[in-house]
Amino acid sequence: DIQMTQSPSSLSASVGDRVTITCRASQSISDYLNWYQQKTGKAPKLLIFGASSLQSGVPSRFSGSGSGTDFSLTISSLQPEDFATYYCQQSYSNPPVYTFGQGTTLEIK
Amino acid sequence: QVQLQESGPGLVKPSQTLSLTCTVSGGSISSAGYYWSWIRQHPGKGLEWIGYIYFVGSTHYNPSLKSRTTISLDTSKSQVSLKLTSVTAADTAIYYCARTVGLMTTMNAYDTFDIWGQGTKVTVSS
């Protein structure tokens, strides 16, 4: 299986900050990388697919980049509703064995 | 809009079979291009894809769970079901169903989980 490793595991930041979360794949996955946001007690929500394409309805302060093995999710100006856990997920495997990173929890400083 | 709702027992005894149902509303479970996945989240942990089914009935499972997993479809009830046999405490988790779809860019289609149910908590304990 392709292993996904996120860093940091947790991050403290303030409203208005710019934050970046990174995700590394154990092998090249081209740009088959998605990002999800999960709030406490809720299901994950798709934010970005194909490494950099914003899902419909997601605010433009979210952006993604990367290809190969290294990826990042950036929030340009943190809003109170952005404090959550973020997961990356690869969809490169064929036949599919979709795998997720372990998550990055974004906390209020 | 499409909504997914998981249901099933919240408590299952060790060695028994976990059975869950996901009811799809607001859209057709038989629409081409959509797969229906089960994903679980162990307490305080990350996400694990269990497997999916296509509307024609074809399935694909995570090799780590394949020997114990069956996903099936009842199109007349708009339901996707999960059965996981011989459960242990390690199967205690929140179980989600999620619509799986290839979202397109100009370059490629990327498999994503674009709509999720709210999840159902299953505890394995005697």
Side-chain angles (χ1 to χ4, degrees):
Chain A
D1 291 358
I2 298 174
Q3 307 302 316
M4 308 301 294
T5 304
Q6 291 180 232
S7 61
S9 296
S10 62
L11 174 61
S12 294
S14 301
V15 173
D17 284 353
R18 178 185 179 91
V19 298
T20 296
I21 297 167
T22 64
C23 176
R24 175 166 288 178
S26 60
Q27 66 179 75
S28 177
I29 58 170
S30 184
D31 60 352
Y32 288 85
L33 191 283
N34 306 320
W35 288 98
Y36 299 83
Q37 176 194 65
Q38 185 178 33
K39 297 184 178 179
T40 302
K42 300 293 187 182
K45 171 188 173 183
L46 176 66
L47 297 177
I48 287 172
F49 63 96
S52 61
S53 294
L54 205 62
Q55 171 67 335
S56 176
V58 174
S60 59
R61 63 181 180 271
F62 291 91
S63 64
S65 65
S67 67
T69 60
D70 294 312
F71 302 87
S72 63
L73 171 71
T74 297
I75 309 172
S76 60
S77 179
L78 273 173
Q79 298 302 301
E81 60 267 29
D82 299 337
F83 292 94
T85 299
Y86 292 85
Y87 293 94
C88 61
Q89 173 246 324
Q90 65 82 17
S91 61
Y92 179 82
S93 304
N94 191 14
V97 182
Y98 307 116
T99 51
F100 294 83
Q102 82 280 12
T104 295
T105 300
L106 184 51
E107 300 169 328
I108 301 174
K109 185 183 286 184
Chain B
Q1 70 280 21
V2 175
Q3 293 184 312
L4 284 64
Q5 174 80 50
E6 303 90 346
S7 59
L11 181 64
V12 181
K13 289 181 168 34
S15 81
Q16 294 191 341
T17 296
L18 178 160
S19 296
L20 299 175
T21 298
C22 172
T23 302
V24 180
S25 59
S28 174
I29 202 171
S30 300
S31 295
Y34 296 129
Y35 295 72
W36 305 93
S37 285
W38 285 95
I39 296 163
R40 69 181 183 179
Q41 186 168 34
H42 294 102
K45 298 287 180 62
L47 298 153
E48 180 181 31
W49 176 74
I50 299 169
Y52 67 43
I53 189 165
Y54 196 41
F55 78 96
V56 296
S58 54
T59 55
H60 187 69
Y61 302 122
N62 190 323
S64 67
L65 295 166
K66 182 177 181 178
S67 63
R68 299 193 292 129
T69 305
T70 302
I71 297 175
S72 59
L73 205 60
D74 186 334
T75 55
S76 67
K77 295 181 179 178
S78 226
Q79 290 179 337
V80 184
S81 295
L82 169 70
K83 290 189 186 302
L84 186 64
T85 62
S86 305
V87 297
T88 70
D91 295 307
T92 292
I94 297 172
Y95 287 76
Y96 295 99
C97 59
R99 191 176 77 171
T100 308
V101 62
L103 294 182
M104 299 289 297
T105 68
T106 54
M107 298 294 291
N108 285 307
Y110 301 91
D111 291 347
T112 66
F113 306 111
D114 71 329
I115 299 175
W116 297 62
Q118 88 285 355
T120 188
K121 184 177 180 180
V122 178
T123 301
V124 178
S125 176
S126 56

